[in-house]
């Protein structure tokens, strides 16, 4: 069984669940999970967790993202992208400077109402399922953060931009809201996720590439180790005498790790053989390292 993260370059036409099913077949294991949905028409970085790597799926889902998107001004659709039904058309009489100013006004902490065509659940029902039945329900606005927007090009009525944002951001809705503020409407045409959970397109592989790697027995080389997502924490290596305690999920004393050792609040703990154990918190008063999230148990 594989334990870690495979970074898939999702292609258009696949749901995130489709990708998980494909990876289960390629890896030959059931314990597989994705780290946040991408729309079927969207492409790009989709980290997939394998085995014990599924323990970090929540952390990866909560991470910041980066997207490159193209949207068309002068069009409003029921899905906020060009796959939906066109509701309105509006003449686009705008200057590039006006478009740039409005786009820049969305940088920072903003409020966003999730679209009806989304996987978000209200009273246990997916909004997209309700939308397909012609049912629209009230959605609460959510606070999100747009860290930055880089305009790639403007060729009116078409705009391409790169967006760095917090979790929970709907890029379709961002495009729609920009169009509303400009007074002409807008609908997203393309969406490419370029970064998620610290992984980029350079780390990603298509499903065909992963299938070929399986056939060539090189698939293990493409599985990222679990500890790669915890590089923000300093590394601590335990002494050999701590081995049994670590395998049993116990805390270990400061004197049982190689010195000098990090006294950060959270650290990455490794065995004397440099196997990744998990995330530990350092308790200054007790001079102990306490397990927070374990990955070594059950070996």
């Amino acid at each position: 069984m594989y334990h870690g993260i495979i970074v898939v370059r999702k292609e258009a036409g696949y749901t995130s669940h489709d990708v998980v099913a494909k990876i289960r077949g390629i890896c030959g294991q059931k314990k597989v999970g994705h780290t946040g949905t991408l729309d079927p028409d969207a492409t790009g970085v989709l980290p997939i967790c394998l085995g014990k790597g599924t323990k970090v799926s929540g952390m990866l889902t909560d991470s910041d993202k980066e997207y490159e998107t193209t949207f068309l001004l002068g069009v409003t659709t029921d899905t906020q992208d060009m796959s939906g039904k066109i509701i309105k058309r509006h003449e686009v009489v705008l200057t590039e400077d006006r478009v740039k100013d409005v786009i820049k006004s969305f940088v920072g902490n903003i409020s966003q109402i999730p679209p009806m065509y989304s996987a978000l659940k209200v009273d246990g029902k997916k909004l997209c399922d309700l939308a397909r039945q012609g049912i629209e329900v009230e959605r609460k606005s959510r606070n999100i953060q747009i860290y930055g927007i880089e305009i790639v090009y403007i060729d009116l009525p078409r705009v391409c931009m790169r967006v760095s944002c917090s979790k929970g951001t709907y890029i379709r809705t961002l495009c729609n809201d920009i169009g509303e503020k400009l007074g002409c409407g807008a609908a997203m045409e393309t969406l490419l996720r370029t970064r998620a959970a610290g992984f980029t397109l350079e780390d990603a592989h298509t499903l065909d590439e992963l299938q070929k790697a399986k056939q060539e027995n090189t698939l293990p080389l493409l599985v990222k180790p679990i500890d790669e997502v915890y590089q923000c924490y300093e590394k601590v290596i335990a002494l050999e005498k701590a081995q049994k305690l670590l395998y049993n999920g116990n805390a270990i004393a400061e004197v049982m790790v190689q010195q000098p050792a990090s006294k950060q609040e959270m650290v990455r703990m490794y065995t004397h053989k440099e196997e990744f154990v998990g995330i530990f918190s350092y308790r200054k008063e007790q001079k102990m390292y306490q397990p927070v999230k374990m990955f070594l148990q059950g070996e």
Side-chain angles (χ1 to χ4, degrees):
M1 180 182 283
Y2 295 101
H3 302 283
I5 299 107
I6 278 185
V7 186
V8 175
R9 179 162 185 157
K10 192 183 92 62
E11 298 161 87
Y14 290 96
T15 67
S16 298
H17 292 294
D18 291 338
V19 174
V20 167
K22 291 279 187 182
I23 293 297
R24 282 194 179 115
I26 291 170
C27 295
Q29 65 188 65
K30 290 183 178 180
K31 202 166 185 181
V32 176
H34 64 71
T35 56
T37 57
L38 266 179
D39 291 343
D41 291 338
T43 61
V45 176
L46 181 63
I48 301 291
C49 298
L50 309 174
K52 292 178 183 176
T54 55
K55 290 183 178 182
V56 302
S57 62
M59 174 186 175
L60 300 188
T61 302
D62 289 345
S63 68
D64 299 334
K65 313 286 193 302
E66 184 183 85
Y67 299 88
E68 189 170 296
T69 185
T70 305
F71 61 90
L72 188 65
L73 291 167
V75 177
T76 303
T77 74
D78 59 350
T79 60
Q80 300 183 342
D81 62 21
M82 292 306 292
S83 71
K85 178 183 176 183
I86 294 176
I87 300 170
K88 293 179 185 176
R89 287 189 183 274
H90 199 287
E91 186 179 2
V92 179
V93 185
L94 296 164
T95 64
E96 287 192 10
D97 286 342
R98 172 62 179 158
V99 173
K100 289 177 182 176
D101 287 344
V102 167
I103 288 174
K104 288 176 183 176
S105 73
F106 281 84
V107 175
N109 292 309
I110 65 171
S111 181
Q112 191 179 72
I113 297 175
M116 276 301 301
Y117 281 88
S118 66
L120 194 67
K121 290 184 178 180
V122 172
D123 296 329
K125 296 179 180 179
K126 285 185 179 180
L127 288 177
C128 57
D129 292 338
L130 294 173
R132 292 188 188 103
Q133 298 170 36
I135 301 170
E136 183 166 352
V137 297
E138 185 178 351
R139 288 96 65 204
K140 292 181 180 179
S141 64
R142 304 195 300 185
N143 292 323
I144 59 163
Q145 189 162 9
I146 304 296
Y147 303 116
I149 300 179
E150 176 191 348
I151 297 173
V152 179
Y153 69 81
I154 296 178
D155 183 14
L156 293 174
R158 191 165 277 105
V159 180
C160 179
M161 62 185 185
R162 191 171 293 117
V163 181
S164 176
C165 57
S166 65
K167 70 166 185 173
T169 302
Y170 287 94
I171 302 298
R172 283 180 291 134
T173 302
L174 177 63
C175 296
N176 176 84
D177 292 350
I178 289 170
E180 279 195 4
K181 192 166 183 178
L182 284 166
C184 61
M188 189 180 76
E189 285 189 316
T190 64
L191 182 64
L192 171 67
R193 187 153 72 187
T194 53
R195 179 174 56 81
F199 299 113
T200 66
L201 288 170
E202 286 70 32
D203 301 306
H205 308 276
T206 65
L207 291 171
D208 285 344
E209 289 170 345
L210 293 170
Q211 183 63 49
K212 184 179 179 183
K214 178 189 178 182
Q215 294 166 354
E216 295 175 350
N217 296 317
T218 58
L219 188 60
L221 300 176
L222 304 184
V223 179
K224 304 280 187 184
I226 296 169
D227 59 340
E228 192 160 320
V229 304
Y230 290 112
Q231 293 302 304
C232 57
Y233 302 136
E234 290 184 7
K235 181 177 182 178
V236 172
I237 301 174
L239 300 175
E240 186 173 359
K241 62 184 178 181
Q243 185 83 346
K244 188 173 181 180
L245 288 170
L246 291 177
Y247 270 91
N248 288 329
N250 298 124
I252 60 172
E254 184 182 315
V255 295
M256 301 182 81
V257 304
Q258 291 183 17
Q259 300 296 331
S262 172
K263 305 298 189 295
Q264 277 190 345
E265 185 179 347
M266 303 285 274
V267 300
R268 287 177 288 136
M269 184 65 68
Y270 293 78
T271 69
H272 68 287
K273 295 180 181 178
E274 300 218 11
E275 299 170 288
F276 179 51
V277 179
I279 301 302
F280 280 58
S281 66
Y282 177 68
R283 304 295 173 87
K284 186 177 180 180
E285 297 78 12
Q286 294 88 11
K287 293 187 177 181
M288 299 280 288
Y289 290 93
Q290 186 78 30
V292 175
K293 187 177 282 287
M294 294 289 291
F295 295 94
L296 193 64
Q297 283 179 296
E299 290 288 345

